[in-house]
Amino acid sequence: MSISEFAENIGRDHAQVVPISVFVAVVCLCLVIGHLLEENRWLNESTTAIVVGCITGTIYLFLSKGKSSHVLRFNEELFFIYLLPPIIFNAGFQVKKKQFFQNFLTIMLFGVIGVFISSSIITAGSWWLFARFGFTGLSAQDYLAIGTIFSSTDTVCTLQVLHQDETPLLYSLVFGEGVVNDATSVVLFNAVQKLDKGKLNGRAALRVLLDFFYLFSTSTALGVIAGLLTAYILKTLYIGRHSTVREIALMVLMAYLSYMLAEGFFIDVYQPLLILVHDFCGIHFNCYVFVQLLHLSGILTVFFCGILMSHYAWHNVTQSSRITTRHIFATMSFTAETFIFLYVGMDALDIEKWRLSKLSFRTSMGIYSTVVLLILLGRAAFVFPLTAFSNYVHRRADRLASVSFKHQVIIWWAGLMRGAVSIALAFKQFTYSGVSLDPVDAAMVTTTIIVVLFTTLVFGFLTKPLICFLQPYNTNNSASHGESRSPKEELNLPLLSLEESAETNILRAKESLSMLIERPVYTIHHYWRKFDDTYMRPVFGGPCRDQSSTC
């Protein structure tokens, strides 16, 4: 290598170091400003990061004489490989499992069925209304992708205002739906990506549903396996007796490995090795089929991996590691979220996309207003009907009170904000390595950014006064807001026993079936706890329920 080439490489590396350093400095600035605004709570961390990003983008745009507002170029692979996993894993790791699984039916109704309803309304509405504003050029697959992009919610603003101890049911529903919603949106988006653009018919819709359920089930199973395997290793080997660093590293790496395995990123690297194994060992398999088989949903995998690690593996590490892991995962998640929203603020001033979109002011405002209106309608179309259905199912179950109308309004409002997942999916659908080459694609990217900015800033700013009006804080009424309780007379119903007579087991089975029909959610949760205490915890770890109330 000549001296000139060496100097050129150093200069290229130095050119990357400077913007990274500037971006990290701005992230630190966001942390300081967020701390100063902590007592106010009118501006949350995501809103603060977006505002700081806009200011930074304006300064950078001025210094570059109008050429660019970006300190760094967005890359969807950077988001999906490095930024998204810690956010989703921490959500699963920190979730309140008791409340989450007691309200599992309602959460899945909102997070899965609700996404399908919202996506359908947004897809149909944009297909019909965009053309009326003279905006054309999108394919049928693009409209389906738009439905999934704008169905992904960001509930951070609402969660920062709600009091978990006062309204555990409401907090659990908002938090649980937010996580499941993001996972479902990504899985549905991936299913839409597999569609053949030339063959969109009833069979294609069935194919989307089948792909969705396949990705959902297999990704969940992979996350459960990874979490149980980690818990079993930690319990069996007791790594912490020699080094707490190793057990923490094992939890972090196993979580990340489960995500990468589900997404299939490593397969492309090791595919030549698979071919060599085929050539030399005579093992016949189709590498392409193997690659496609492992292209699952990493977001679902790492979420359930986080739940299983928190439920089992966390109890198998030392006390210092328990404290450390919670802080590490929360820190990684918070930093990644700040990074994403900071970039969203900068990208709002991307001159290249605005010039390339070539839309008039009237057309742009019409599209923005249409998308926001469809988000409002799509959200209302499933929150209120599905809540009524959930209240009907739980009418004899374990709730002292159903989800009130005021709580339904809060749940509806909590899902109006759009965030990082919407941005990432839009970049994945309408850009190539963060660059838009088509005016229509550029228009959709700018539309997504504007919608995220508007919903986060406007709806986020109005979240606190709305919740304070509908849900006045009162430390003495936590039991009056739908807090889950279980009927005490049913707690001693045991599992079937081989030591008792067949007649006794038959009577017990009839009682169990009757209880399942009358109280389906409570009954399933009740028997899962018994199965967990009897079979799972002795193998994978965790204290018995009579020893700790946090199990």
Side-chain angles (χ1 to χ4, degrees), residues 172-341:
S172 175
L173 293 178
V174 173
F175 177 84
E177 187 223 344
V179 178
V180 177
N181 173 282
D182 287 343
T184 305
S185 299
V186 174
V187 173
L188 186 58
F189 179 85
N190 292 335
V192 169
Q193 294 292 299
K194 296 181 180 180
L195 283 177
D196 186 355
K197 296 182 179 180
K199 298 180 180 179
L200 294 178
N201 47 35
R203 182 174 297 180
L206 180 61
R207 176 67 181 272
V208 170
L209 290 176
L210 293 177
D211 285 341
F212 171 81
F213 286 113
Y214 164 75
L215 291 173
F216 200 97
S217 58
T218 51
S219 301
T220 301
L222 181 59
V224 171
I225 292 173
L228 292 178
L229 179 61
T230 306
Y232 184 78
I233 293 175
L234 291 173
K235 180 177 175 61
T236 304
L237 300 181
Y238 189 43
I239 300 176
R241 71 179 184 272
H242 295 307
S243 173
T244 58
V245 175
R246 290 194 184 98
E247 57 184 4
I248 296 174
L250 181 65
M251 293 181 67
V252 174
L253 295 177
M254 284 295 291
Y256 192 71
L257 177 62
S258 69
Y259 180 87
M260 300 297 288
L261 180 63
E263 292 289 345
F265 288 121
F266 79 100
I267 296 295
D268 297 329
V269 178
Y270 289 104
Q271 188 167 353
L273 179 60
L274 299 177
I275 297 176
L276 288 177
V277 172
H278 171 269
D279 293 337
F280 287 96
C281 301
I283 301 177
H284 296 280
F285 53 83
N286 192 319
C287 292
Y288 176 78
V289 173
F290 187 62
V291 170
Q292 295 301 315
L293 181 64
L294 290 179
H295 273 78
L296 306 177
S297 173
I299 185 173
L300 262 179
T301 298
V302 78
F303 173 68
F304 280 97
C305 180
I307 291 179
L308 268 294
M309 283 192 183
S310 175
H311 192 62
Y312 297 113
W314 187 76
H315 297 282
N316 298 332
V317 299
T318 60
Q319 184 63 32
S320 60
S321 294
R322 294 179 187 181
I323 299 174
T324 303
T325 50
R326 289 201 177 276
H327 286 293
I328 286 179
F329 297 144
T331 301
M332 294 171 62
S333 174
F334 178 78
T335 305
E337 288 180 346
T338 305
F339 186 100
I340 293 169
F341 282 107

Side-chain angles (χ1 to χ4, degrees), residues 409-524:
V409 173
I410 295 176
I411 294 172
W412 170 73
W413 184 269
L416 296 180
M417 278 71 79
R418 296 298 177 263
V421 175
S422 296
I423 292 290
L425 295 181
F427 270 85
K428 191 173 184 179
Q429 176 69 21
F430 298 109
T431 69
Y432 179 77
S433 297
V435 179
S436 298
L437 303 177
D438 183 77
V440 176
D441 293 341
M444 286 311 307
V445 173
T446 55
T447 298
T448 305
I449 293 173
I450 292 298
V451 170
V452 170
L453 286 175
F454 178 82
T455 56
T456 302
L457 295 177
V458 177
F459 294 160
F461 185 80
L462 296 175
T463 296
K464 183 175 181 179
L466 175 67
I467 293 180
C468 290
F469 173 75
L470 296 175
Q471 187 69 43
Y473 181 73
N474 186 356
T475 58
N476 297 322
N477 64 347
S478 62
S480 63
H481 295 284
E483 185 176 1
S484 299
R485 286 187 182 178
S486 303
K488 295 181 179 180
E489 66 273 9
E490 302 288 357
L491 291 179
N492 294 323
L493 186 63
L495 297 171
L496 297 182
S497 175
L498 297 177
E499 299 177 357
E500 298 182 1
S501 64
E503 182 179 358
T504 303
N505 282 330
I506 291 176
L507 291 175
R508 185 170 295 140
K510 290 181 179 180
E511 294 177 2
S512 300
L513 182 60
S514 176
M515 190 171 68
L516 178 62
I517 295 174
E518 294 181 0
R519 303 182 179 97
V521 178
Y522 161 70
T523 305
I524 295 174

